[in-house]
Amino acid sequence: MRICSLLPSTTEIVYALGLGDRLVAVTHECDYPPEAASLRAVTRSAIDHAGISSREIHSHVSRSVHSGSSIYHLDQELLNEMDPDLILTQELCEVCAVSYTEVRKAVRILEGDRSILSLEPTSLGGILESIAEVAHAAGVAATGAEVVGGLQERIDLVASRAQGASTRPRVFAVEWLDPLFIGGHWVPEMVRLAGGTDGLGREGQHSTVVSWEQVAEYDPEIVALMPCGFNLERNLEETGRSAFPESWRGLKAVRAGQVYAVDSSAYFNRPGPRIVDGLEILAEIVHPEIFPRTKPPEAWRRLDTV
């Protein structure tokens, strides 16, 4: 079987299932595991994100989506050359990958039978189900069950230990800085399982815009900065040049030095196996008295706000 992954998360899933040798094509954003970068990329971005601000990125994306254009381009000629049997994609987010409609059009051009597996997880359980679906489609259901079982054990361990916490601090998960978006889909669930309270996000729901006035009223005790698609270095860069309102300095989290930046691209935005690492990172941030740090320096950092 020849597999084409049109999502960084499904590329990670394929490797986690031991199917890296069957992967023939990926996206330009597939960077984990490192060997994925050596594969042919059948997509490219219509927007160059390097060096531009969150507001500029949001404006570019909004204009493209509203005009009916995709911010990703699919290389039909290269897809034909790679000749995949199974194509992994999604319909969940218009700005996360090549549109499902475009994928279907591209596949219709290919000769012979092809399978398209579209994954739509909105929760941790849904992410685990996606892994099982890919395993089933690739004919390695037993391996999928093992991988899912191991990830579920880690989730359960975090949840069980977090239940022993004496407090459940208010957490503000920031999915985008300008405009300000709260974390959606699985992020509020991750906050809850890590022993925190997310009073702004809703489990299983899309990320939404929130005002700084709402944030000030909520007055979070912990702020986790996880802009979509940013690694820790880019996160720190964007945070450093962002203009925060006066109310920012008055937040309890800021006054107490409880503001954290994370590698959101690796551990929070992509619905793949490393989302469980993201849960463990949140646990280390929210309840360090229960979860001593085990994650590397490039995974998350506490910011100096005092």
Side-chain angles (χ1 to χ4, degrees), residues 7 9-10 13 92 121 127 130-131 186 268-273 275:
L7 297 167
S9 59
T10 53
I13 290 172
L92 185 65
I127 293 171
S130 292
I131 296 173
W186 45 82
F268 292 91
N269 308 148
R270 299 177 177 178
I275 206 75

Side-chain angles (χ1 to χ4, degrees), residues 86-159:
L86 174 63
I87 299 172
L88 305 174
T89 186
Q90 60 95 44
E91 298 174 77
L92 185 65
C93 177
E94 291 181 307
V95 300
C96 292
V98 176
S99 74
Y100 183 68
T101 300
E102 186 173 352
V103 173
R104 291 190 63 184
K105 288 180 180 177
V107 171
R108 281 200 295 268
I109 297 175
L110 300 176
E111 296 181 359
D113 293 330
R114 317 284 168 164
S115 296
I116 302 176
L117 179 57
S118 180
L119 305 172
E120 314 298 324
T122 59
S123 65
L124 294 184
I127 293 171
L128 298 189
E129 289 175 8
S130 292
I131 296 173
E133 288 182 57
V134 173
H136 178 76
V140 291
T143 301
E146 292 179 9
V147 172
V148 168
L151 294 172
Q152 185 66 64
E153 286 181 7
R154 289 168 59 192
I155 293 172
D156 293 342
L157 179 60
V158 169

Side-chain angles (χ1 to χ4, degrees), residues 27-291:
T27 79
H28 63 286
E29 294 182 325
C30 292
D31 55 10
Y32 188 86
E35 51 264 40
S38 65
L39 297 172
R40 303 288 294 277
V42 294
T43 68
R44 62 182 176 85
S45 177
I47 301 173
D48 183 2
H49 293 176
I52 64 175
S53 69
S54 293
R55 171 61 67 172
E56 290 171 317
I57 293 173
H58 178 77
S59 297
H60 282 303
V61 170
S62 295
R63 284 197 298 269
S64 296
V65 171
H66 291 159
S67 67
S69 302
S70 174
I71 64 171
Y72 295 95
H73 297 309
L74 181 63
D75 188 330
Q76 178 73 59
E77 184 175 339
L78 183 55
L79 185 66
N80 296 350
E81 180 184 337
M82 292 298 96
D83 192 31
D85 304 300
L86 174 63
I87 299 172
L88 305 174
T89 186
Q90 60 95 44
E91 298 174 77
L92 185 65
C93 177
E94 291 181 307
V95 300
C96 292
V98 176
S99 74
Y100 183 68
T101 300
E102 186 173 352
V103 173
R104 291 190 63 184
K105 288 180 180 177
V107 171
R108 281 200 295 268
I109 297 175
L110 300 176
E111 296 181 359
D113 293 330
R114 317 284 168 164
S115 296
I116 302 176
L117 179 57
S118 180
L119 305 172
E120 314 298 324
T122 59
S123 65
L124 294 184
I127 293 171
L128 298 189
E129 289 175 8
S130 292
I131 296 173
E133 288 182 57
V134 173
H136 178 76
V140 291
T143 301
E146 292 179 9
V147 172
V148 168
L151 294 172
Q152 185 66 64
E153 286 181 7
R154 289 168 59 192
I155 293 172
D156 293 342
L157 179 60
V158 169
S160 176
R161 292 175 63 187
Q163 285 182 350
S166 58
T167 61
R168 297 191 68 86
R170 297 185 303 280
V171 178
F172 174 31
V174 184
E175 192 162 300
W176 200 250
L177 280 166
D178 187 15
L180 194 62
F181 275 78
I182 55 176
H185 297 311
W186 45 82
V187 171
E189 179 186 6
M190 294 169 73
V191 170
R192 173 175 58 81
L193 293 177
T197 300
D198 189 340
L200 294 174
R202 295 291 180 269
E203 294 188 20
Q205 301 299 309
H206 288 288
S207 175
T208 57
V209 174
V210 65
S211 70
W212 280 110
E213 288 75 18
Q214 289 172 284
V215 175
E217 182 179 353
Y218 176 52
D219 197 16
E221 297 166 89
I222 295 172
V223 174
L225 301 167
M226 50 180 72
C228 189
F230 287 4
N231 60 18
L232 180 59
E233 181 181 0
R234 180 65 192 277
N235 191 348
L236 293 170
E237 175 187 321
E238 190 64 20
T239 300
R241 68 181 180 184
S242 294
F244 291 92
E246 187 63 30
S247 60
W248 167 258
R249 303 298 308 176
L251 298 180
K252 185 172 184 178
V254 176
R255 290 186 283 107
Q258 292 293 305
V259 179
Y260 301 85
V262 303
D263 184 341
S264 38
S265 177
Y267 304 116
F268 292 91
N269 308 148
R270 299 177 177 178
R274 288 191 296 168
I275 206 75
V276 179
D277 293 87
L279 173 62
E280 293 165 344
I281 287 170
L282 268 182
E284 293 176 1
I285 289 172
V286 177
H287 286 295
E289 77 282 5
I290 299 176
F291 299 93

